[in-house]
Amino acid sequence: MSRRSQSDIPVFNLLSIGHRGVGKTVFLAGSYTELLANRQKEGSQSWWLECRDSQGKENIEGILEYVARTGQYPPPTMKITDFNFALKHRQRQEEKTSCYFRWWDVPGESCNLQNPDFQKMVLSSHGCCVFFNGKALVHNPRYLETIEELIKQIVAIASLVNQHGLDYPFALIFTQCDLLEPGPISQLQIEANLQPLLARLDAVNAKYQRFYSAIPIVSNQGQYRLKAVGASAPIVWLLSELNKTHQFQGQIPLESGLKRSMPANKRSSVASSRKFVPLLLMSSLGLLGVSAALFFAVNGAFGPAQTPEQQLTQQYERILEKDPRNFAALTNLADLYIQQKQLDKAIPVLEKIVEQPTKSFDLHFILADIYAAKGDKNREETVYDRVLAQQADNFDALIKKAVLRVERGDEATAKTLFAKAENVAPTEDLKAQVRSLAQRALK
Ligand SMILES: Nc1nc2c(ncn2[C@@H]2O[C@H](COP(=O)(O)OP(=O)(O)O)[C@@H](O)[C@H]2O)c(=O)[nH]1
Ligand SMILES: [Mg+2]
């Protein structure tokens, strides 16, 4: 029977991402201690973790010893950063190694895909544990805002993975769940509050699973310990998913996965669409290019921040690309451009509107006002003519054209127009105002 040689055993890199104090160290120590009990058990499902380096072993056992001695969680100074583990199980009295994995603890503030160190970690990783404070998710309505940047980075990685059809599992771990009311309500609240992230992950077909972690400290006859029931499930799930994938395609970290997944016909073609820009860069620039892909993924997943007005503007512009005379889209778009003080963009839209028959001339007068503001009296007057061609007794158009005629030294026409306006004015008061205006203008 052939034995699996040391070099056949896959090595996976797992990212552990979450803000400081979320519970990453406690989680790893809890998983380690929970699985240790399996060491004596027989069976391929009884996994445990073994530290591969003495420094790591010293660190993690130091944490467990600290808890046992003090009954307290480890202080933040007992740092866990990088760890090398073997996932082991026992088969017929023999210890077997299923895989190796490296655990990279990334504090929240380093999770920025524009940070080269984080990029390197992401690109060499095979899967990821993302930590959220379960208690804060339920009780602090502003918690999500505080981790918005982190969420952005996660979704960016997930969309990149999706674009390239890669297998990259995410374990979403909700910590400190022992501090929540037991029962399903708390879980439902967590899920409801995390919906913005879950919806984004679903939208990019991310492979993820949720885990509710509760690692209280319990005491038994004066001996303290981390009581970690089910704490190790996320690591075991991630590694079993990666082992499954590994059997089919070997272990592919994100970076080589991205390169490998590039469609062959896109590698050399000059793709004009933005979607292929990262692909193009990747093929020609190696790691730097893949970093660029991550950068584009962040911006692609969220786009530059847009106001609701900008989003609406884009929607109307898209409608008009297909249906250039769509009246509702034209009027709404004109309105939005004016609100955003983009008068040069509003003009061609308003010109299309005034070409169409209408009962309301409000937008005609807005267009005329814009021309007036630009000092374009010819075009301003054309608008009044257009109104008068459709409604010869339009009071506003008569008055405005009359004033314009005076400005242009054509008092005779102005006089006729004022007279017409006075004639159509609906009230005596208004007629008097027109007379007075005409007198002042024509003197
Ligand atoms: N009750 C409870 N508290 C926890 C748990 N996990 C973490 N904590 C608390 O959160 C603090 C920070 O945890 P730590 O693992 O050091 O956070 P890290 O900065 O993400 O490594 C700990 O000191 C505990 O007070 C848990 O499962 N239950
Ligand atoms: Mg820590």
Side-chain angles (χ1 to χ4, degrees), residues 180-245:
L180 291 170
E181 286 289 308
I185 302 285
S186 298
Q187 279 191 16
L188 288 174
Q189 281 173 314
I190 288 183
E191 306 219 346
N193 293 344
L194 204 67
Q195 206 47 47
L197 169 65
L198 301 180
R200 288 176 189 172
L201 289 177
D202 287 336
V204 293
N205 290 319
K207 181 195 266 187
Y208 67 89
Q209 198 152 139
R210 282 155 279 190
F211 298 93
Y212 302 86
S213 172
I215 314 181
I217 295 178
V218 294
S219 115
N220 188 2
Q221 296 170 350
Q223 261 291 321
Y224 297 101
R225 66 183 175 89
L226 293 176
K227 184 175 174 237
V229 180
S232 56
I235 290 186
V236 171
W237 174 75
L238 275 179
L239 293 173
S240 65
E241 286 299 312
L242 292 170
N243 261 325
K244 265 192 253 165
T245 309

Side-chain angles (χ1 to χ4, degrees), residues 16 18-28 72-80 105 107 131 133 135 174-179 213-217 226-227:
S16 142
H19 60 83
R20 274 185 206 280
V22 71
K24 298 184 295 296
T25 300
V26 171
F27 167 83
L28 190 62
Q72 306 282 320
Y73 287 103
T77 42
M78 297 190 81
K79 272 211 310 207
I80 284 189
D105 189 337
F131 290 85
N133 185 321
K135 188 180 159 215
F174 308 113
T175 60
Q176 311 192 21
C177 288
D178 51 298
L179 301 177
S213 172
I215 314 181
I217 295 178
L226 293 176
K227 184 175 174 237

